[in-house]
Amino acid sequence: DVKVTQSSRYLVKRTGEKVFLECVQDMDHENMFWYRQDPGLGLRLIYFSYDVKMKEKGDIPEGYSVSREKKERFSLILESASTNQTSMYLCASSDSFGTQETQYFGPGTRLLVL
Amino acid sequence: GENVEQHPSTLSVQEGDSAVIKCTYSDSASNYFPWYKQELGKGPQLIIDIRSNVGEKKDQRIAVTLNKTAKHFSLHITETQPEDSAVYFCAAKGFQKLVFGTGTRLLVSP
C-alpha cells in the first residue's frame, strides 16, 4: 500500500514564525503535491513537483515556498506565517506512468496561526 | 484554466436510500475525472474514477457517469450505509493538474 506521511497532525504557530511542513512517501512516486483545504473551498493546489529539485506553482502559491531535495520528501515552507494561513494542509503523491493521475493523500496537518 | 463546480454541498439520506452528487467542469480538454472520499480525520482517498472515453463505470454500490457534451459527471451511491457518511470530492484533470470541486458532506442516518 502507498503510504504518505506528514510530520505533524496539529501545529500551533505565532504570526511571523517560519513554519515547515514535511511530507514523505514510500512508493518512489515522481510527483508530489501540496494542497490546502478550507470549508466551502475544497482542495486548492499550492505547489507541486515532478522531480527532485523541481517545483511548479499551483493556484495559490503566494506566501509559500517548497523544497524537494530527495525524491521521497516534499516540504512546504511558510516564510512568515499569517493568520490567513490557518488551514488544513494535505500532501499527495502520484506515479508518472500508468495510473499517473491517481493521487494518494496523507492524513493532513491542521495548522493554527495565532 | 479548469473550473469544477459541485452540488449539493450537503446531502442527508436515510440508510438504504440512493445518493447522487453532481459536478460540472469547464475545460473540454479534461480527460480524467476521479472521485475522492474523505472520512473524519483522514486524507481523501480515491473511490472511483472515469476517463473521457467511457460513459459509465460501476464498482459494487458506487457508479460514476460522464456526459462529455454537457461537461458534467455524477457519483451515484446505492443502498447507502452509515459508513458512507463522509465528504466527497469530485475532480477534473486539466493541464498538468487535478482541479477539485468544493466537496459534498454526505450524512447517512440509520
Side-chain angles (χ1 to χ4, degrees), chain B residues 42-99:
Chain B
K42 297 183 179 180
Q45 184 174 14
L46 179 73
I47 54 171
I48 196 168
D49 57 13
I50 191 167
R51 287 170 172 77
S52 58
N53 58 347
V54 176
E56 184 175 3
K57 183 176 179 181
K58 287 183 180 180
D59 183 3
Q60 300 183 345
R61 295 187 298 108
I62 61 173
V64 58
T65 58
L66 171 65
N67 183 326
K68 282 170 36 180
T69 303
K71 288 190 280 189
H72 66 70
F73 56 113
S74 300
L75 177 72
H76 304 253
I77 306 174
T78 58
E79 300 173 23
T80 53
Q81 301 168 4
E83 52 264 39
D84 294 329
S85 295
V87 179
Y88 292 81
F89 291 97
C90 63
K93 187 176 183 189
F95 177 64
Q96 287 190 315
K97 59 188 182 182
L98 284 178
V99 177

Side-chain angles (χ1 to χ4, degrees), chain B residues 22-42:
Chain B
K22 298 182 179 181
C23 291
T24 61
Y25 62 99
S26 60
D27 187 353
S28 56
S30 290
N31 59 5
Y32 174 68
F33 307 91
W35 286 88
Y36 285 82
K37 176 184 181 182
Q38 186 178 28
E39 297 176 334
L40 197 61
K42 297 183 179 180

